[in-house]
Amino acid sequence: MSRHGDISSSDDTVGVCVFQYPMPRLHTTEEVIDNAKKICEIVKGVKTGLPGMDLIVFPEYSTMGIMYDRQEMFDTACAIPGDLTEMFGAACKEAGVWGVFSLTGEQHEEHPKKNPYNTLVLINDEGEIVQKYRKILPWTPVEGWTPGGTTFVTEGPKGMKVSLIICDDGNYPEIWRDCAMKGAELIIRPQGYMYPAKDQQVQVSKTMAWCNQVYVAVANASGFDGVYTYFGHSAIIGSDGRTLGECGTEDNGIQYAQLSISQIRDARANDQSQNQLFKLTHRGYTGVYANGDGDKGVAECPFDWYKTWVTNPKLAQEMSETVTRRTIGVACCPVSGIPPPVNEEEDELLELTNELNLE
């Protein structure tokens, strides 16, 4: 079974560590390299203290910090693979562990014409990059990363299937379900999350673990970087939504747990009343079977908006705007880099002009 409190792991358990790294404030590539060296030493040191550790996870922004200066963001953006991933790969190989590392940012294919990506890499115990994930849902309006386009599932340590998501991604139920339905058994969520959203972020990871029958490893930042205070509370959560271990707000906090491979697979195969992954695509199978209409339930998606999003994304966007707003800017609280909304008359004129240009 999955368990917490020991330093070991077995053939059936993956030893997972989340490391609560204090948010750095860096400005140059040289400073980033020096910080990455510290992270590499942490990988090797923690493995000494936790000999059963198979995987260590670091928070979002832990390698490079948040570059509040736009030029510094472009100047420090890296290639993947590159010098940083070579350093992390060498540390993982030397320690004999897998690692998840944050690179903020990864150079865009059209660098420096377009903004970088917010990227995670999963590196195996041979020092190889086995998954590269780009944040799909940047924390707008503040984050200016180019959004990524898809999630991935990789066979991780001891065969456990792993997906990566990043911070604000986790506020959208769709991304968790996408990873779980692709086969993820462990979803790793590095964060650079700050107050005031502590209670909500602690809650959502636990809820999504329960809703998707998936282990969750959250590595969050701690400390103050001159702009934000990061609330920590890095945690490892069981597939039943209950927390196995959780840090407080301390710098350099560690949580470690052993996640059972057989336990999650048994639950997904044999649980019934709370088997959300099965029941979603076998809707009402008890009644359908009683009605003589087969033993598979109803497979079709019943949710109109999701069907619209797939078949007509622009219409889905308009539906969203109907219940929220039409502009990315908000007049009562302007944010740097976001255009202010135009008034209603100007908006109608702009819409008419666009229509005429299309004709």
Side-chain angles (χ1 to χ4, degrees):
M1 65 177 184
S2 296
R3 49 197 182 269
H4 174 268
D6 200 75
I7 61 174
S8 188
S9 66
S10 67
D11 290 342
D12 182 56
T13 60
V14 177
V16 178
C17 172
V18 290
F19 193 95
Q20 191 160 283
Y21 197 73
M23 181 65 76
R25 185 70 185 271
L26 310 173
H27 303 278
T28 67
T29 298
E30 290 75 18
E31 291 175 342
V32 170
I33 293 292
D34 286 343
N35 186 57
K37 291 177 182 176
K38 295 178 185 177
I39 292 173
C40 291
E41 291 306 309
I42 289 171
V43 172
K44 293 180 280 186
V46 174
K47 176 62 175 179
T48 301
L50 299 173
M53 182 177 75
D54 298 300
L55 170 67
I56 186 168
V57 182
F58 290 90
E60 179 190 31
Y61 291 111
S62 54
T63 305
M64 306 170 95
I66 298 177
M67 302 291 172
Y68 293 101
D69 181 274
R70 179 174 171 81
Q71 189 58 52
E72 289 180 355
M73 177 182 73
F74 277 92
D75 290 345
T76 57
C78 67
I80 300 176
D83 292 342
L84 290 170
T85 56
E86 285 183 12
M87 292 171 61
F88 294 144
C92 286
K93 186 173 183 178
E94 181 178 341
V97 299
W98 296 55
V100 175
F101 305 94
S102 170
L103 295 163
T104 50
E106 178 199 0
Q107 292 177 359
H108 193 281
E109 291 82 357
E110 297 182 39
H111 180 79
K113 293 181 180 179
K114 294 189 176 181
N115 283 11
Y117 299 100
N118 182 336
T119 302
L120 293 176
V121 289
L122 172 63
I123 296 178
N124 68 15
D125 55 1
E126 294 295 324
E128 303 162 330
I129 298 171
V130 293
Q131 186 177 142
K132 181 177 80 169
Y133 169 73
R134 293 168 169 172
K135 191 174 189 177
I136 291 175
L137 292 150
W139 190 56
T140 53
V142 175
E143 288 186 339
W145 306 116
T146 297
T150 193
T151 62
F152 304 93
V153 177
T154 300
E155 188 169 294
K158 297 176 180 172
M160 180 170 281
K161 297 175 182 177
V162 177
S163 284
L164 307 177
I165 67 174
I166 304 174
C167 202
D168 196 37
D169 282 336
N171 291 314
Y172 301 84
E174 294 82 2
I175 197 167
W176 300 90
R177 184 57 48 85
D178 186 62
C179 294
M181 284 298 194
K182 288 178 176 178
E185 296 163 326
L186 168 62
I187 297 179
I188 297 172
R189 186 194 185 196
Q191 300 177 174
Y193 237 120
M194 65 291 288
Y195 290 102
K198 177 183 80 72
D199 291 347
Q200 294 87 342
Q201 297 313 315
V202 170
Q203 181 181 38
V204 74
S205 290
K206 296 172 70 172
T207 301
M208 290 299 102
W210 165 250
C211 290
N212 293 283
Q213 297 160 283
V214 68
Y215 297 125
V216 176
V218 178
N220 193 30
S222 60
F224 176 63
D225 70 351
V227 177
Y228 292 114
T229 297
Y230 302 88
F231 56 76
H233 283 268
S234 302
I236 301 173
I237 303 164
S239 59
D240 60 359
R242 292 184 289 184
T243 301
L244 292 166
E246 182 176 324
C247 293
T249 60
E250 70 275 11
D251 290 347
N252 300 309
I254 289 175
Q255 278 295 340
Y256 176 76
Q258 301 173 61
L259 305 182
S260 170
I261 300 166
S262 63
Q263 182 179 344
I264 190 170
R265 294 177 183 175
D266 178 75
R268 287 181 172 184
N270 296 304
D271 282 0
Q272 299 188 68
S273 63
Q274 300 302 154
N275 196 327
Q276 287 76 237
L277 299 183
F278 182 83
K279 290 168 66 176
L280 181 64
T281 56
H282 299 76
R283 288 189 297 114
Y285 63 80
T286 304
V288 171
Y289 180 74
N291 292 340
D293 295 324
D295 63 355
K296 291 291 188 180
V298 179
E300 289 76 18
C301 174
F303 305 117
D304 293 339
W305 187 81
Y306 282 104
K307 290 187 256 187
T308 301
W309 195 11
V310 170
T311 59
N312 191 341
K314 287 295 184 183
L315 178 58
Q317 188 178 66
E318 291 174 9
M319 292 170 69
S320 166
E321 292 175 356
T322 299
V323 298
T324 57
R325 64 177 188 270
R326 298 185 65 183
T327 62
I328 60 174
V330 177
C332 62
C333 186
V335 174
S336 177
I338 302 297
V342 296
N343 63 41
E344 204 166 302
E345 289 183 2
E346 291 174 332
D347 196 30
E348 289 176 359
L349 179 61
L350 181 62
E351 190 172 318
L352 177 61
T353 302
N354 287 336
E355 289 176 359
L356 291 173
N357 287 338
L358 291 173
E359 292 176 356

